[in-house]
Amino acid sequence: MMNEKSESQQQHLETFSYDDDVTKLFVTATLIWGAVAMFLGVLVAFQLADWRLNFGIEWLTFGRLRPLHTNAAIFAFAGNGFFAGIYHSMQRLLKCRMFNDTLGRIHFWGWQLIIVCAAITLPMGLSRSKEYAELEWPIGIMITIVWVVFAVNFFGTLFKRREKHIYVAIWFYIATIVTVAVLHIVNSLAIPVSWTKSYSIYAGVQDALVQWWYGHNAVAFFLTTPFLGLMYYFVPKAANRPIYSYRLSIIHFWSLVFLYIWAGPHHLLYSALPEWVQTLGVVFSISLWAPSWGGMINGLLTIRGVWHRLRTDHTLKFLATALTFYGMSTFEGPLLSIKSVNSLAHFTSWIVGHVHSGTIGWNYFMVAGIFYYLIPYLWKTKLYSQKLGHLHFWTATIGLLFYIVSMWVAGVTQGLMWRAIDQTTGMLVYPNFVETVIRIVPMYWIRAFGGVLVLTSFLIMMYNFYKTIQGAPKKVKPEEFQAPALHAQKHEATQGHRKLEGLPAIFSVLVVIAILVGSAIEILPGLLSNHFIEENPDIKPLTALEQAGRDIYTREGCFYCHSQMIRPMPHETMRYGKRSTAAEYVYDHPFQWGSRRTGPDLARIGGKYPNMWHYRHMIDPREMTPGSIMPVYDWLIYREIDFEILPEKLTALRKVGVPYSDEEIQNAVADAKEQAESVSYMLTETGVDASIQDKEIVALIAYLQRLGVDAGESTEFQFTEENLEAEE
Amino acid sequence: MKSEVLTQATNLWPQIFALFIFIAVFVGACLWIFRKNSAKVYDEMANIPLEKGQKR
């Protein structure tokens, strides 16, 4: 058919080449950052198995490296990976070179600069303390600028294209670009205190809702839609046959884009979030099963007839496995969203296993499959070693299985231990949290072993690609192609969706509407009306010193392992105290509810132990809690509190709605010093040097002792036998 | 505004209406996508990844 068309339009043919160099740049960056991300993952995995593996260095502590691992995996590895795939496929799908080569280079180098900034600032503890949105505001602005550069280049290419129809892959790319922009900007809104510190404009429940609307849609629109677009290009390409059902792809696209945006609240089930938002999140999460599996089936059935090639073709093998893992994790996701399942699984390692079956099984395997096609194609050569390709596949798959299964076992075990209540006494069977930690440490070792296999597989792939590129012919003249210009093509009568596909601007607007419906219905009521939160006059803002302590809490990433959200279940209230309510969080910028309880919940830790307990616990957690896997935080003993910045911090917080008076702001430094003296009194009484009172640990203790106190429980240190023993 | 919204929480009709819209849009889209004589169009589009312009 192509021949017929071109014969009749021979006179209009334009000659062009593709910008493959930019793709090569992104391919190279993906390989480098992928190794870094997986190495960091393995390191933090071992840190959970053995607490000593931060080597006593604050920059290598779990709380600071975990965000670096997640950011590296998501934005550096998967991001560069899909940029490579998009730059390659969109030029071919639209039969034209990228709009502007320079914009492509700015996009590339800008993105790498952002990653380098992340790699420097996160270990330093500069963090907004919101998962996958940790980067401080100057870097956030850089992300926005680079994203706009990418968008201009992308839409510019769409407008100068030579192919009338916009293939389904491109729709997924459009959805990615517009939605990530909306998510990033809305979730990043903050008031800066300095170049390296800012406070989210949202507080408590609102912040939680916006954060997980962002967080879940980072999964949806950064790790899913671009990769689905790539799937729609590379699976037909590798199988050398068109997609199984183009009709299904239309239903797949619109239903996925419309439904996904609603799913965020499933991260906050049983929390202080309003019930109706939770229910909406659950309903839409379960609905998502349909489009996700529609897409998976569409991809897998494209391979029908060429299944035998899976034995020899690394591209097909990895893509098919990626689709299989995609199917499994998108089955597991809706399952985990069901409230009764979530009540067991939430805060456990099960969620960690689920995430990695998606990121490793889907994203890593997609990137690998695409690169086995792309690298020989771009460098005009053959793969260096087929055998290494097989070794890569099996090492990665077996490693991932070790990872997922160990996390399932760990998650279910710990979840069941937390909720176990003795039938006869009505007491918790495992009242000491640390018992449930010690029980799953062997699973942490197995997970780390699985991680080592996955990292090894990646290094094998890198070596194979390195040798492939090394052996490639140098200086190959770029291929040239011909196609008629769009305006020279005979205009057929177009209607309906076909016409829509020819109008990228209107198409993009419809995508924006599709994602804004769910966003508006879930988020706006909470933002516009504070009446959704019952007020509690007992809840007061933190003092200046406590705020300084909270900033240390966020800097160290405490919330990665400790939640601050007691769910309304008997075992939770028996273990931690009265259930958490929305009113308690109205001054929390940002919220610190957490998503994983590697250690116990801290929502009502205030007054539970004496100051001396916290002091000694930070120096040696195992002295207070034998078997604890928490790292040592001895630098808090040496580092001094930055008192001078406190007025600015309180001023910034006042701008976002915390009712500090002028007097409190003016006297912030003096008030903080006074409170520091009284907090450290109990420490110095028992022999700690008096110089402790301007050290960070005092601020952190002040904050911890305040947690949950306003809500009216455990206001005083309770002189129970257990606590007295601990004090001795 | 908020109290007005909340008073509607027990009113089933808006909810049924919303459900109806969802289903109607979905069924309508499916019917349209599977309309008669559309096979050629979709085949054409599905083949785009297998082309990349003529080689010179």
Side-chain angles (χ1 to χ4, degrees), chain A residues 193 197-200 540-555 587-590 592 641-643 645-654 656 658 660 668 672 675 696 698-704 706:
Chain A
V193 178
K197 178 75 196 164
S198 64
Y199 294 113
S200 168
K540 300 278 191 303
L542 297 177
T543 65
L545 185 71
E546 289 157 3
Q547 184 57 47
R550 189 172 206 270
D551 291 336
I552 294 164
Y553 188 93
T554 56
R555 180 189 78 201
Y587 303 127
D588 281 14
H589 298 266
Q592 291 289 284
I641 302 170
D642 185 355
F643 283 108
I645 200 174
L646 286 174
E648 285 165 53
K649 283 184 170 176
L650 298 196
T651 309
L653 283 166
R654 184 158 76 172
V656 293
V658 184
Y660 287 116
Q675 192 184 358
E696 288 189 338
V698 171
L700 185 62
I701 292 174
Y703 173 62
L704 291 172
R706 176 70 185 275

Side-chain angles (χ1 to χ4, degrees), chain A residues 1-2 6 13 15 18 93 95 163 165 167 233 236-237 241-242 246-247 250-251 258 284 377 479-482 496-498 501 531, chain B residues 2 5-6 22 26 29-30 32-56:
Chain A
M1 198 186 58
M2 193 57 204
S6 54
L13 285 183
T15 304
Y18 296 127
L93 286 168
K95 296 196 183 74
E163 170 60 56
H165 303 304
Y167 181 67
Y233 178 79
K237 208 72 192 162
R241 50 192 59 215
Y246 198 81
R247 291 184 166 104
I250 300 177
I251 301 176
F258 177 75
F284 279 88
Y377 179 93
E479 277 182 290
E480 287 188 326
F481 297 91
Q482 289 185 319
H497 204 269
R498 294 184 67 197
E501 285 152 14
H531 300 290
Chain B
K2 162 232 156 198
V5 173
L6 286 186
F22 273 43
F26 182 74
C30 290
W32 183 80
I33 288 162
F34 285 92
R35 74 197 178 282
K36 272 187 186 171
N37 306 325
S38 59
K40 186 176 161 280
V41 180
Y42 290 126
D43 282 348
E44 207 178 301
M45 289 200 273
N47 274 299
I48 294 174
L50 305 179
E51 311 165 357
K52 54 180 174 181
Q54 297 167 263
K55 266 198 188 172
R56 201 160 108 111

